[in-house]
Amino acid sequence: MGWSSKAGEKARVRVVIVGCPNVGKSVLFGRLTGRYVSVSNYPGTTVEVTRGIGRWAGRTFEVTDTPGLYSLSCITDEERAARALIMGGGSDVLLQVADAKNLDRMLPLTLQLSEAGLPVVLIVNMLDEARRAGLAVDLAGLGDRLGVPVIGAVLTRGEGVEEIKELLAAVGDTGTIQPLVPRYDRQVEAAIRAVEARITGNYGLRPRAMAVLALQEDPEVLDILRARELNWPLVSDLVVRMNQGSEPVRQRIPLVVHRLARRVVTRCLRQVGRPALTPGQVAGDLLLRPMFGLPVLVAVIYFGLYRFVGGFGAGTLVDVLDRTLFLSRLNPWLDRVVDGLFTGEAWRELLAHDYGLLTLGLRYAVAIVLPIVGTFFVAFAVLEDSGYLPRLALLTDRLLKPLGLSGRALIPLTLGLGCGTMATLVTRTLETRRERLLATFLLALGVPCSAQLGVVMGVLSARPHALAVWASAVVVALLAGGTLAAHLLPGRAAPFFMEVPPLRLPSLGNIWRKTTARMVWYFREVLPVFLAASVVIWLGRLTGVFPTVLSGLAGVCRWLGLPKETSLVFLFGFLRRDYGAAGLHDLAPGLPAQAVVVAAVTLTLFVPCLAQTVLMFKERGPVTALAIMGVVFPTAVAVGYVLSRVLSLVGGAAW
Amino acid sequence: MVEGRMRTGTPPGTRSLARMKPGEKGEVISLEAPDHAGYRRLFALGLVPGATVTLLQRFPTYVFTAGRTTIAVDAGMAEGIWVAVRPSRNRSPQSRA
Ligand SMILES: Nc1nc2c(ncn2[C@@H]2O[C@H](COP(=O)(O)OP(=O)(O)O)[C@@H](O)[C@H]2O)c(=O)[nH]1
């Protein structure tokens, strides 16, 4: 590849895309690098920093997409990640993407970036929506006033992309213009100068910007200064002093920045026509009301989850792939090939036969998990891209309050219905530690992932009352567990506030690119664990550890009134939760309905899969993760036990 | 700690968002958030002193527009958003006391 040559290396331009959530950053990233990573209508699903390479005008551009950043004074982990990237100094130019309709909310960041001495280009995106709202943006005037390059765009249609590319290709050639920066009142300016004078280190931002952040009591900036500046005590005194009284400087500074932004916007954004009322707006407003929103929710669950993921994905597709492809053709053939190649029994067992890497590991991944997770990701992408999820969040906020959660938590919890591992990662978007912990706990306890859900529905849907029992048992366990955890955990319920984006018609291209990106992530993250799990099973059988574990679990199974073969399902269930569920799929036809329900419930509540456990350790720390596991395991067994007792008492009539 | 307490000398007709009726409009006078982070977040959404807000609905959560942004908040947050409500012309005026 040409770009790794020395000359190419020199010419490489580092471009960092920043901006609020939901303004089109991912779309721009895709346009510049030719690759879509994740486009979303929900603020905050760009979880990881994404890098890509673009080439045009004979130069190479390293483009980085960052998580949403509202302002330089950060609140969430994601914002901190974005700011750390900017402060790290790894950029030749910052592209700030902004929503034209809400410029007054976007410009404070532009002003802050200019204040920090960073080279920023403002992309005024969504001009199509602005036009429909009857707004006209004076782009040239905006550029003159802000003193930074300004480009108008409709990124989804590719408008403005050429201009952006041209500008980037000419980076470094632009003359120096003086960007607009905020000026504060005399007292605040004096305080800024006093702090600035005591900053000696280089932190990637201008000392003035560091001083402004310090005066706003930015915890991270204060930590940096505390650790690295000799004059810290003087700075600290001043910061404390300036933040006393009824008008602390931490409130005065943002107000000044905002007023300046508003002044610029009133000059450059004009209402020229009447806002057109689009069908999307009407529908979007209706969905805010429970009277319409709740029936739509029921329809979404029925068609999206039950019919599409459960019926089509877990039913039709799994049948085709598993039964007609793997079980009747591929597996027998693989068994023969492996037997022909290897003589040792151990090798044969590792690769093929009942628990082999190919015949079990690959088969579960491709034939059972792929269609189910794939259909779920399609359904989720549609909901996400249409702007439905925040509406769902505001409708359900009240219901989640008793669990110590806010409506915001509904997004990771819903995503948990797809993949608990990914959902655990997305709990980062929640604002308080307490809420992140509670959501992680619920995900670990019993939010069934799509692989599990699909298999359970596949197994139980022939017996609707069994499905109902399973669903109620899991919901009750989640509600009870969540309520109890919320009571026991100190702290207050997380406040709920959320931006509600307009309802948009999702585009097929976005859904396709988003789904494939997630699938790639899933397989990169999960297929190795699948295969590792197969190796663990092989080792376990080879060394005789398994029979011991299994006989232990068999005791638990007996207690739950289950045949001892289900112990295998539980063991696999830890290695991968869906793996276990898939094992249940194989076992179910030979079991009585009651046993299937008890097994399905216990398995759903059982410890999360290996991948999710690993992520839980990473995100929440070992102590918390172990505590969660310690609660989840006995809870699962206890609920299974109670359920089996109740079902036996209710008796055979129903079964 | 409560961030951004009400100042003295607020205009008459000032009520918290939680006491407004759907359809009512007004200017934000001040914000109280449970903590500074919440305050900053509301600020970032364009809910700043002087912004014009219109309440759309109260149930199941408070939904209102601030400028061209639609925002949803729970009752707790709504109580901390103080608004100088404009007297409405097309409705009975005596209900505003
Ligand atoms: N109408 C319109 N929609 C856009 C435009 N740019 C992005 N979008 C949509 O806005 C939503 C958010 O975009 P995304 O790139 O995920 O925002 P990010 O959170 O900043 O990365 C997606 O549904 C996009 O399809 C645009 O120029 N016009």
Side-chain angles (χ1 to χ4, degrees):
Chain A
M1 291 210 160
W3 58 267
S4 58
S5 71
K6 284 238 171 67
E9 206 66 66
K10 261 222 183 80
R12 186 183 275 211
V13 182
R14 292 160 310 165
V15 179
V16 176
I17 303 176
V18 297
C20 291
N22 214 26
V23 293
K25 293 187 299 298
S26 321
V27 181
L28 178 60
F29 178 81
R31 292 277 175 186
L32 293 182
T33 62
R35 203 160 62 99
Y36 251 62
V37 174
S38 174
V39 189
S40 99
N41 223 355
Y42 168 66
T45 24
T46 317
V47 177
E48 284 176 333
V49 169
T50 329
R51 284 212 170 79
I53 297 287
R55 261 168 241 125
W56 61 86
R59 296 180 83 167
T60 301
F61 299 83
E62 182 188 287
V63 186
T64 308
D65 190 12
T66 60
L69 182 70
Y70 283 100
S71 102
L72 266 194
S73 9
C74 309
I75 302 164
T76 61
D77 291 351
E78 301 205 300
E79 284 185 293
R80 273 182 216 110
R83 186 173 72 181
L85 207 99
I86 297 173
M87 288 175 74
S91 57
D92 298 312
V93 57
L94 297 177
L95 291 182
Q96 187 199 341
V97 186
D99 171 1
K101 304 186 300 300
N102 292 302
L103 267 184
D104 53 337
R105 294 208 280 119
M106 313 275 151
L107 293 193
L109 180 62
T110 323
L111 296 170
Q112 285 181 312
L113 293 173
S114 291
E115 186 174 56
L118 298 163
V120 55
V121 174
L122 183 68
I123 316 292
V124 180
N125 188 32
M126 303 194 172
L127 284 176
D128 57 334
E129 288 190 352
R131 263 192 299 274
R132 254 176 275 143
L135 297 169
V137 188
D138 172 10
L139 294 168
L142 198 57
D144 287 345
R145 290 211 159 73
L146 290 173
V148 303
V150 172
I151 297 174
V154 183
L155 290 172
T156 35
R157 284 199 240 127
E159 281 172 39
V161 176
E162 274 320 304
E163 213 181 320
I164 295 171
K165 285 186 171 176
E166 270 165 38
L167 190 121
L168 288 178
V171 140
D173 305 348
T174 46
T176 42
I177 25 174
Q178 202 56 49
L180 180 68
V181 292
R183 295 282 163 217
Y184 309 93
D185 63 45
R186 276 235 302 282
Q187 196 194 7
V188 176
E189 282 290 344
I192 292 173
R193 274 197 304 277
V195 175
E196 193 184 343
R198 300 200 159 84
I199 295 178
T200 54
N202 181 3
Y203 305 105
L205 308 179
R206 259 193 207 140
R208 180 180 166 90
M210 288 296 281
V212 169
L213 289 173
L215 283 169
Q216 291 176 75
E217 297 182 323
D218 187 284
E220 221 180 16
V221 168
L222 291 183
D223 281 346
I224 293 175
L225 297 181
R226 183 182 299 123
R228 312 246 297 262
E229 291 294 339
L230 284 176
N231 280 319
W232 160 252
L234 293 171
V235 172
S236 165
D237 278 355
L238 193 59
V239 169
V240 170
R241 201 144 39 82
M242 292 297 291
N243 277 297
Q244 281 160 351
S246 66
E247 290 185 16
V249 71
R250 64 167 178 271
Q251 287 182 15
R252 275 152 74 189
I253 289 177
L255 204 57
V256 169
V257 178
H258 192 90
R259 291 215 171 108
L260 181 57
R262 263 243 290 256
R263 247 204 334 272
V264 172
V265 171
T266 44
R267 303 251 159 73
C268 304
L269 189 80
R270 274 186 316 129
Q271 189 82 42
V272 289
R274 286 166 61 86
L277 200 61
T278 61
Q281 270 170 342
V282 176
D285 286 351
L286 282 180
L287 282 178
L288 297 173
R289 297 165 194 283
M291 228 209 299
F292 295 93
L294 291 179
V296 170
L297 174 60
V298 172
V300 164
I301 290 176
Y302 180 75
F303 289 105
L305 274 187
Y306 190 75
R307 295 295 294 270
F308 183 62
V309 180
F312 178 67
T316 319
L317 286 182
V318 167
D319 254 15
V320 170
L321 287 172
D322 195 36
R323 228 162 273 153
T324 47
L325 185 67
F326 271 86
L327 289 185
S328 59
R329 274 163 228 199
L330 222 47
N331 274 7
W333 179 77
L334 283 169
D335 285 350
R336 276 199 307 280
V337 170
V338 170
D339 284 353
L341 287 176
F342 298 92
T343 43
E345 197 57 31
W347 292 114
R348 289 181 176 175
E349 295 269 305
L350 174 63
L351 291 174
H353 300 287
D354 286 356
Y355 304 105
L357 273 178
L358 299 173
T359 47
L360 186 79
L362 199 66
R363 178 192 135 213
Y364 277 1
V366 173
I368 297 181
V369 174
L370 178 76
I372 298 172
V373 173
T375 44
F376 179 86
F377 283 160
V378 169
F380 193 76
V382 172
L383 294 184
E384 206 178 22
D385 220 45
S386 62
Y388 180 67
L389 288 180
R391 288 175 169 76
L392 195 56
L394 76 87
L395 281 180
T396 47
D397 177 60
R398 271 181 199 238
L399 304 176
L400 290 171
K401 280 275 188 292
L403 305 178
L405 298 172
S406 75
R408 246 165 218 286
L410 199 82
I411 283 100
L413 291 181
T414 313
L415 192 57
L417 293 173
C419 171
T421 311
M422 192 182 255
T424 306
L425 197 67
V426 171
T427 56
R428 280 188 194 176
T429 58
L430 302 177
E431 304 218 351
T432 66
R433 267 192 56 194
R434 186 172 185 271
E435 197 178 10
R436 288 196 286 269
L437 179 67
L438 288 169
T440 308
F441 169 68
L442 286 185
L443 285 167
L445 176 65
V447 176
C449 69
S450 62
Q452 232 182 353
L453 203 62
V455 174
V456 166
M457 288 208 277
V459 170
L460 296 180
S461 58
R463 310 151 170 145
H465 53 291
L467 194 61
V469 170
W470 170 80
S472 346
V474 170
V475 168
V476 167
L478 278 177
L479 291 181
T483 312
L484 208 62
H487 272 289
L488 295 180
L489 208 66
R492 255 181 323 193
F496 174 69
F497 50 99
M498 187 178 241
E499 182 185 349
V500 186
L503 209 61
R504 298 188 173 105
L505 206 61
S507 92
L508 280 180
N510 285 359
I511 289 164
W512 165 251
R513 282 180 280 253
K514 208 155 148 173
T515 307
T516 45
R518 291 210 166 109
M519 299 289 284
V520 167
W521 177 88
Y522 187 84
F523 271 86
R524 249 209 329 251
E525 203 80 356
V526 157
L527 193 64
V529 189
F530 258 82
L531 299 181
S534 278
V535 175
V536 170
I537 292 172
W538 173 72
L539 275 177
R541 285 158 47 87
L542 206 67
T543 55
V545 173
F546 264 28
T548 327
V549 178
L550 283 178
S551 68
L553 277 172
V556 175
C557 288
R558 235 191 337 275
W559 198 52
L560 296 177
L562 299 172
K564 69 175 195 313
E565 294 78 46
T566 35
S567 58
L568 200 64
V569 173
F570 286 124
L571 183 59
F572 289 7
F574 169 64
L575 296 172
R576 276 206 62 75
R577 199 148 60 150
D578 41 82
Y579 219 65
L584 185 66
H585 188 260
D586 292 347
L587 244 149
L591 292 180
Q594 182 185 330
V596 177
V597 173
V598 173
V601 168
T602 315
L603 199 67
T604 308
L605 300 178
F606 201 59
V607 287
C609 74
L610 208 56
Q612 190 176 339
T613 310
V614 169
L615 202 77
M616 226 157 68
F617 272 80
K618 272 208 290 225
E619 292 283 305
R620 295 290 98 83
V623 178
T624 311
L626 281 175
I628 290 179
M629 303 282 280
V631 173
V632 166
F633 182 73
T635 310
V637 176
V639 172
Y641 179 73
V642 171
L643 186 67
S644 82
R645 291 287 97 185
V646 170
L647 289 180
S648 325
L649 279 181
V650 175
W655 306 94
Chain B
M1 178 184 71
V2 173
E3 186 77 14
R5 281 197 175 286
M6 268 256 282
R7 282 172 225 148
T8 46
T10 49
T14 298
R15 272 178 279 155
S16 83
L17 192 80
R19 297 210 169 65
M20 283 169 69
K21 296 201 184 72
E24 279 184 330
K25 205 183 198 118
E27 271 75 51
V28 175
I29 297 298
S30 68
L31 300 172
E32 282 169 24
D35 53 30
H36 187 56
Y39 181 85
R40 290 307 313 272
R41 182 59 87 222
L42 290 179
F43 213 94
L45 289 177
L47 199 66
V48 295
T52 305
V53 294
T54 309
L55 187 69
L56 300 180
Q57 69 178 52
R58 299 168 52 97
F59 184 85
T61 45
Y62 291 83
V63 182
F64 59 96
T65 55
R68 276 170 212 96
T69 306
T70 307
I71 304 171
V73 296
D74 61 17
M77 300 281 305
E79 266 155 29
I81 301 169
W82 292 91
V83 182
V85 182
R86 282 184 209 161
S88 65
R89 274 166 222 103
N90 44 6
R91 281 196 210 170
S92 58
Q94 70 270 26
S95 63
R96 324 253 172 284

